Every structure is written in C-alpha cells, then in structure tokens.
Amino acid sequence: MPDYSPWLAVKALGPKPVAYELLTAAHKDLTAQTAMLDERPAALRVISATAEFRDSAGHELVVRVEAMGHTAEVRIAEHVVRTTTEGDGAHAVTPLVLVAYALQKDPFGLRWQPRRIGHAEPPSAEAMEYYAQLDRLTEGSTQVERQLEAGRDVLVIGEHGCGKSALVANIADKRRADDGVVWLNLADPADGPESIVLALLEQERSRSGRYLVVLENLHANPLVLNELFDCVTRLRSDFGLEVQVLATSYKVAGPTLAGGEPTRELRQVLAEGRPLVTQLLVDSGIDEAHWQTIRRLAQDDVHIALTAIHLYGRHGTVPTEADLEAYYTRQVTSDDQREVLYRVACLGVLELQMATREAGPLRQALDRLRDDGLIYQIDGAYLIGSRRRAQLVMNHARRHWDADRRWKSPERNVWLHLQRGGERLMKATLSRLDQLVPPDAARTDTLHLLSTWETLIRLGRTMRKRNGDDRSWGDNSGAAVFAASALNQLNHVDSWWEIAGVVRPRWSYEAPGCKLPVPVGGVTADYEDFEEIQQSMATEDALLGAAPHLAGMRAEELDTDQMYRNWVLGLLLGFEGSAPAVHQDQKRIDLLIGVAREAQHEDGYFYPARVPWVTARVVLGLTQANLRMDHPVVRDACNWLLRQVSAGGPFDNWWRSGTGTWNRDEATTAMCLSALVRAGVSPTRPEMETAHAWLMGREGEWTTPGREIDMAQALEATLLCTGAANGTQEHLRALFQRIATEKNPTLLSTAPEERLRVPFVAAQLADIVWRIVQLESLKLFGHVINQGRPEPSEPPEVAVLPQTVTSSVNGATLSRRNLRAWQRGCEQIEGTIRERIAKRDGPMRTPAVEKVINEQLDYRAQLAELTSRLDEHADRELLERIDALGRRVCGVAWPDLPWPDAGSEAAS
C-alpha cells in the first residue's frame, strides 16, 4: 500500500477541536486513505463512514465494513479519535489501523492507548529465495498440504532448525497466486489480531476468496493466542471469509498451544530435520562416505547442513564447527559490526529478534551485515537464522572477540533487549517463560513471572496518579524521594522530573564546606517524624531504667535536627544517584558526596551512633551514586556497621534500631544488610549470615499487618543476601494487596512512618519485583545460552595432591591451630556450595539447573560425612578426601592447608 501521512485533516484543525470538527475531519482522513487503494477491491472493504452526534450516547464515527456480501458496523467514540490523534500514537495509528482496532472484540477500554500494530509482512524476496533451497517433498510437507486441502487449521511442530519456517513459507508461496496470505511472526509482540484485520483491509481480495493466515512462532506470545483465534473465528462467521491458519512452534509446545480452547482445533504435523538433511545430501552429489560426518556436524539442523554442503562444494572437504563459525562471521572486522552481530546472535539463541526501531545508531552496521548475508531482515526485524547458527556465532564472539567483557554477557544483552522493547515484549517473553523452557521442555507449573511483572505495572499507574495530585507529597521529602524512585524504576520518567522540580529547590548544599543539607523555607513535614522518634527513644530509655543504652546516648541528648538532616543526606544521595540518565546531574552528586565526607564521624557512622539505620540510609544513598567499599566514606561506614557492640559498634548478631517501636530491629537489620551487600560486602561473611538468619527467624514479626515497611525491607534484604527468589511470591502478593488501597483496614493509622508508608513500600516493591524478574530471567537465559559451556568458577575435578604430602605416619595429630584451619576449609567448601545453589535455585529449573544443583547437593552430603569425622586425630586419608573435595568445589580459591607430622603436639 502507498505511504500515507495520517490525520492530515485532523492536524489542520489546530489544538483541541470541538467534536463536530474532529469527527468530520477524521471521516475525511479515513476516506482519503481508503481511496489510495487504487480502487482495488480489498479483502475487507470500508464501504461507508459517517459521523453521528448524540447528546445522550456521545459522539461517534460510524464505519461499515464489507466482505463477501457480509457487512459489519463499528463505532469509534470521539474520545478514542481524540486520544489517537493528539498523542504520539498518531504516527503509528492511521485511520485504517483504528478501524482494525475497532473490529476486535471490546477494542476500546477505559485505558486504551494507541500503539504500534505489526503490519504482517511476509518474508523478503531474499528470505524466500533461501527457503526455496530447502523446498523438498517430505512426509511433513505432504501431511500439511492434505490437512489444508481438507479445510483444517494446521500447527507444524518440530525441533530447532528442522525447517518449519521453510516448509510453511514454501507452501504459502505456492498458494499466493490464488489465495491471500497474511503473515504474522509472533516474535514481534506488535503482531496480533489487529495485524490480521489491517492486512485484510489493505490487501487485494484474493482470486479464490480464500486466505491463509501464517502464525510463525506461536509459542513466542501466549498472551495473544485467544485473541488471534477469536479474530479468525469472527472473520469466518461475521464476514463469511474462508480463513485457514498455518502455524509453527516448538515440538514441546504443541500440547500447550493446541489444546483446551475450542477455537484452536489445530491439526499437528511433525516436521523432522533428519529426512530433509538426507534429501539435501542426496541432491548435493556428495560422496556417501562423507554423509555421516555432515550429519554429525548438522545435528539434524537443515540450515547447518545446507551451509556444510555449500562449503563442501567450494573447498572439497567437509567443514568443521570452527569452519562454520568462520563462515558465519566472515569479513566482519570492524568493532561496530562485530558488536551488532554478537548482540543479534545472543537474541537468536532464545529466538528473539532485534526490531528495526531498536537498532538506533547500529542500523548502518546491521544493514551492512544484512547485505553481506550474515543476518536477515524480516517483518521489520533483524535476525540471524537458526538457533544453532546463533549459538555458533555467539561462541565465536566470546572466544575470539572478548565479547563478554566488551559488550556484556549474552544474558545481560537479552535482558537489556527486553527492557528496551517495552511492556508488550516483556510481557510476551515472560508469559512464554512461564510456560516453556526453551528448547527442552514444557513447564509443569508456572513461574509467576508475568503476574509479578503485571503487579509492577499496576503499581506504576497507581503511583503516577497519586503524583499528579500532589508532586510535593505533602511537603514530605522522604515520601517524594521514595515515590520518585518507584516511578523512575517503572519508566515514568516524566513523573520523576515533576518531583525533582519540588525536591531540588527545597534543599541547599552548594555552600563551600557544607556539613549537612539545609532545608530552604523551613523544615519539611518529615521533621515531625523525628520529634516523634525522640519520644519513642525516651520510651525505650524508660523501659531500660537505669541501664544505659548500648550506644551510650539517652533520648534527651539527641539533636533531632542533626539526625533529620543526616537522614535527608542519604535520601538526596539516592535521589540524585539513581536519577534517569537524561536528568542526572553529576555536579549535584559530587556535592552531596562531599557533604557526606564532612558529615561522617571519625568512627565511620553518621549521627547518631545510637541509630544505625541513619548510617545505613546514607550508605544506600552512596551506593546509588555508584560508590562501593573502595571509597573511604563507604568503607568506614560499612566497617562501623559491622563492628561489634563490645568494640564500640552497633552489631550484636543483628542491629537494634535505637528508636524503640519506630523502625524496629527487624527493619533496621534488613536495611543494614541491604546497605552492606549493595556496598560490596559479601553476604557469606559470618556476621552477614548470622544477621540474616536472625531476620528470617523473626518472620512472624515483620509479616504482621501494619508492618509493611518492615516486610518490604526484609524481602529486599533476603533477595540481596541469597540471590534467589524462593519464598517471596506469597509475601509479595500480600504486600501488594495491603498497599493497593489506603482504606485497607489492615493498615494501622498509628504505624511508624505512616506518611512514608505508601511511597516507601511502592519504591521497595518496584525494586523487589524488578529484581526478581531480572534475577529469575537471567538465570534461565544464562542456562539456555550457556548450555555446554563450562563455567570458569567451577573447574573440572583435578586429581592433584599438595607436594607436602608424605607417607602416613601412625600417631600423627593435628594441633588445635591446624585443626581450626581444616575446619575453616570445610566452612569455605560449604559456603561455596551454598552460594552456587542459591544462584540457581528458584521457581524455574531447567534440566541443566537440576543437574548442577544435584551435583552440589552430592558434594554437600560428602562434606557432611567428612566433617563429622574431622578432629585432632583425623587420619591422612580423611584429610586427603577433604582436600580433593575442596579443590574440586573451590578451584583455585582452595588454600594449601597444614598437614600433620608424627611429632606434632596437640596444643600450640
């Protein structure tokens, strides 16, 4: 269809036209676009459009659509036309696109917003030419033809690289002369039911009156399947169109995708790579003596086999896997081309594509790679080809181009792609991961990734609405900063900027030698909280009686203003440090870091020492400004937090709040743990493990209704300390339900920090949910992408014994010092095993994950048996077994431990 500049008549009206003008102009624009179809009868044809103005029912644009003598009428309300033509969506949603939306079931909800629709473009001429090379008469292709001739819908299933897409493309190409073809690739989240209708509104009516709807990669977007098949059903029933569906998917996804729904009566046909590879070899003329070598190389991937046959014809020898890698990366010498080829390959391993609009400055390099035949461009996206080819290119880049270091690991590239792709791509991918483990198996139970993500989206909408009511959040700097954090994480950058317009001028810290931020125009509403905190501290002191507080400070000695401004210092550091990139101001960050340097006590804390959560708040702010333990301010603050009470610090197996019932011990301990982990302190450090174990033992306290702040902090600390999402889903759902409405009776109006509760918990929820989705997705991506790739941190077993080992001597003993060294070694093994299990354990477990976890559990069982026998009389065989296990588990991190000598003493 010719290009059309949408809404010309509407745009000529100027801002905020009245209803009559708007709908009249919209009618003119729709008529103009349909007239550009060169008077060809379309499969679905707009035959009339009128504007109706009714006071009671509202004003509407009424459109009648016809096909095969059947007509349907759709009504597009004035507010829908106005929303479409006034927003950014006007560039993507033309008048015909709006009609395509209107022809869906219940198309325009209260929150409807215009969005891009995939234009259902078939493969390019170059892609079809490639697919033609794989066109062979196979059992699978014969069955597909028979089922289609019988009028049935067909789902072609098969393993990666078996030729599903080529089979479908070649059948569709043969039918194109008489039948209309609509091609959707569900890897593009914009391809949906509207895409089918739009294609039929734009393409010429077929000679036969039949239409083939190709749905490639049916597994890629489970969310849209019901809508797609409902659309096909309505096209058949409402317009009398003969529509058939020809779809492709994973073999393991067949039962999940074809079953259960009456509209999905798909006849499954298995496409197999091995018979097609055989036919390619027969037609190639290659000596049969080489067939088996090519089969082993191809592993039933017809695309790899086709490349191998091509290279054999060029060089006269069967290529190796290294030859394939070299061919698929040929003549790629510039860094920009290497980078984009690597990124596209990372996506290809998970059958994802790089949309043209995502390419940005990489577009030129991508087009060059496409022109050189190293990638393809189909339906507005770049892709590399089969999953096996993507794996070969990715591995080559990692080995020879230092890709992980220069352009991030494959799983990180996939995650960034999902973030940039927008809400629809994220939801489609998470929905797929909830149901399938590509490419090995279907899931037996859901991962809840999609529901977790949707919780996040709902939260963002709620916070955005509240921010629109009051950007100062009641002149409460804490509430405003936490709200800004949540909104920024949920991609509402404009709302963050609105809050910045209030927070930034409210505080001053630019003066030379400034020791703490100064409120402009008097203290903020937060200051009242600190007066209440002092009263809570006095109550705590009264309960202690004559006994002094651990920090040596009584409530009446507290300087509330100094405490308040130290706390605000942490808030402002976090606010500026985590600002959206477009609004980040490094000068402000540097000034605040300088203030922190001035405000820090020589012992490392931020006033007051009695209240460690103030120091934790500043550390959290410093980490958001990208500072870690290598910075002296962060290092000194973390060392103070970890210092025992007996040595003048706040740590006593956990952290006491110092403020009575305000910010209780559980919340304080969680905040300190989070601050320390974010700063770079290992969560396996004994003090950290002890404090986290105490926090988990207090679960009954921090899950009590009214303590939502404590619960949010405990969940975040657990995620940071364990690196696993185990056990968080139930608490997350409860937390979101409690904060969904401020009228919920379980929320106590007298709870501490009440004014902060909603924005603070919202910010924590945003961070927690985002972290869970990222954590679990990265685990899965990593294990799929790295299948068969050894992890450097887990070296293979090496039978190496220390050179100091001599023959066994009867009566040899371990000194107490040496015994303790071996015990510490066993603790190191246990810590390494625990860390590996935590990194992999969670609701999602691929077969590869199960294998690694079971291996670690076996190591743990061996360790338990060995440590039960470890004492000063341990024989050399036992120590050698511990040493071998340590080298196997810990690798190069395993130390050389002291071995017993015959004359050693029992004490030293």
Side-chain angles (χ1 to χ4, degrees), residues 22 61 86 95 257 332 371 416 439 543 593 602 631 634 669 854:
L22 176 67
L61 185 65
E86 289 181 352
L257 299 174
V332 180
D371 295 342
L416 288 171
L543 292 174
I593 292 172
E602 60 182 11
H631 190 278
V634 179
T669 297
N854 289 336

Side-chain angles (χ1 to χ4, degrees), residues 560-774:
T560 53
D561 180 72
Q562 188 177 355
M563 179 182 178
Y564 158 66
R565 290 162 63 196
N566 269 284
W567 180 75
V568 169
L569 170 62
L571 289 182
L572 295 176
L573 276 162
F575 180 74
E576 298 296 347
S578 62
V582 68
H583 297 308
Q584 196 161 80
D585 187 334
Q586 190 60 44
K587 181 180 178 181
R588 290 179 181 273
I589 296 172
D590 293 340
L591 284 170
L592 286 165
I593 292 172
V595 172
R597 190 179 295 110
E598 293 291 329
Q600 188 173 34
H601 189 273
E602 60 182 11
D603 284 346
Y605 66 83
F606 289 85
Y607 183 89
R610 171 170 169 167
V611 185
W613 54 261
V614 172
T615 297
R617 173 56 57 199
V618 178
V619 171
L620 285 168
L622 290 166
T623 62
Q624 288 176 286
N626 289 320
L627 300 186
R628 297 294 184 268
M629 283 285 285
D630 56 351
H631 190 278
V633 176
V634 179
R635 182 187 63 241
D636 292 349
C638 290
N639 287 341
W640 178 81
L641 284 172
L642 289 166
R643 194 172 300 154
Q644 293 284 344
V645 169
S646 59
F651 184 71
D652 192 21
N653 292 333
W654 69 89
W655 288 271
R656 292 174 170 82
S657 74
T659 51
T661 57
W662 190 295
N663 248 8
R664 302 191 190 200
D665 292 359
E666 293 81 15
T668 301
T669 297
M671 188 186 296
C672 291
L673 284 169
S674 296
L676 289 164
V677 174
R678 289 181 183 276
V681 175
S682 172
T684 61
R685 183 167 169 158
E687 300 97 319
M688 302 288 284
E689 291 186 334
T690 299
H692 185 249
W694 178 86
L695 182 63
M696 292 299 96
R698 303 285 293 177
E699 182 178 354
E701 292 294 322
W702 49 261
T703 55
T704 302
R707 295 186 62 180
E708 286 70 36
I709 288 178
D710 299 17
M711 183 190 288
Q713 291 178 320
L715 290 178
E716 182 189 34
T718 296
L719 280 172
L720 288 167
C721 287
T722 66
N726 302 34
T728 59
Q729 294 292 339
E730 181 181 347
H731 292 321
L732 269 178
R733 283 193 292 272
L735 193 55
F736 185 79
Q737 288 168 2
R738 294 184 194 179
I739 198 175
T741 171
E742 291 185 85
K743 297 179 181 178
N744 192 322
T746 65
L747 295 175
L748 307 180
S749 60
T750 58
E753 298 187 350
E754 177 63 18
R755 286 179 289 272
L756 289 180
R757 177 179 49 78
V758 171
F760 179 85
V761 176
Q764 294 292 101
L765 271 173
D767 187 68
I768 292 166
V769 174
W770 185 264
R771 187 174 293 275
I772 288 174
V773 172
Q774 182 182 23

Side-chain angles (χ1 to χ4, degrees), residues 443-593:
R443 298 196 185 283
T444 56
D445 56 355
T446 182
L447 302 177
H448 303 291
L449 287 181
L450 179 60
S451 61
T452 300
W453 181 261
E454 289 180 331
T455 296
L456 195 62
I457 299 304
R458 290 197 302 272
L459 181 61
R461 291 173 180 151
T462 301
M463 294 295 295
R464 184 184 179 91
K465 183 178 182 301
R466 294 187 182 203
N467 188 65
D469 296 336
D470 178 13
R471 299 172 186 177
S472 75
W473 290 76
D475 193 31
N476 188 302
S477 291
V481 166
F482 292 131
S485 173
L487 289 163
N488 182 30
Q489 292 182 82
L490 301 175
N491 294 321
H492 297 294
V493 176
D494 55 339
S495 296
W496 184 96
W497 180 242
E498 291 170 354
I499 294 174
V502 175
V503 171
R504 282 178 168 174
R506 194 66 175 85
W507 290 92
S508 172
Y509 42 83
E510 295 84 3
C514 178
K515 295 185 180 298
L516 283 173
V518 179
V520 176
V523 296
T524 59
D526 314 64
Y527 189 77
E528 295 178 20
D529 293 341
F530 288 84
E531 292 176 332
E532 293 181 30
I533 288 172
Q534 189 173 31
Q535 295 174 15
S536 181
M537 293 168 67
T539 301
E540 183 180 53
D541 290 348
L543 292 174
L544 290 172
H549 192 275
L550 290 173
M553 170 191 281
R554 298 191 63 82
E556 60 268 19
E557 299 170 339
L558 179 70
D559 182 338
T560 53
D561 180 72
Q562 188 177 355
M563 179 182 178
Y564 158 66
R565 290 162 63 196
N566 269 284
W567 180 75
V568 169
L569 170 62
L571 289 182
L572 295 176
L573 276 162
F575 180 74
E576 298 296 347
S578 62
V582 68
H583 297 308
Q584 196 161 80
D585 187 334
Q586 190 60 44
K587 181 180 178 181
R588 290 179 181 273
I589 296 172
D590 293 340
L591 284 170
L592 286 165
I593 292 172

Side-chain angles (χ1 to χ4, degrees), residues 220-297:
N221 192 356
L223 287 175
V224 78
L225 296 187
N226 287 342
E227 296 175 17
L228 281 170
F229 287 99
D230 285 346
C231 176
V232 170
T233 299
R234 287 198 302 277
L235 290 171
R236 291 166 176 165
S237 61
D238 295 356
F239 292 101
L241 290 174
E242 292 185 47
V243 179
Q244 284 184 278
V245 174
L246 178 57
T248 69
S249 184
Y250 293 147
K251 181 179 178 180
V252 297
T256 303
L257 299 174
E261 296 292 336
T263 55
R264 296 193 215 165
E265 295 179 357
L266 296 167
R267 297 302 178 98
Q268 295 188 32
V269 174
L270 178 64
E272 296 182 281
R274 189 173 183 82
L276 183 51
V277 170
T278 298
Q279 290 200 35
L280 293 173
L281 289 169
V282 170
D283 294 345
S284 70
I286 295 175
D287 192 300
E288 289 188 36
H290 300 301
W291 286 13
Q292 191 59 30
T293 306
I294 293 177
R295 285 188 189 280
R296 284 197 298 267
L297 179 68

Side-chain angles (χ1 to χ4, degrees), residues 200 216 237 329 341 345-346 349 573 636 815 823 853 894:
L200 295 175
E216 196 171 5
S237 61
T329 58
L341 184 60
C346 292
V349 174
L573 276 162
D636 292 349
S815 69
Q823 289 171 337
I853 290 179
W894 180 249

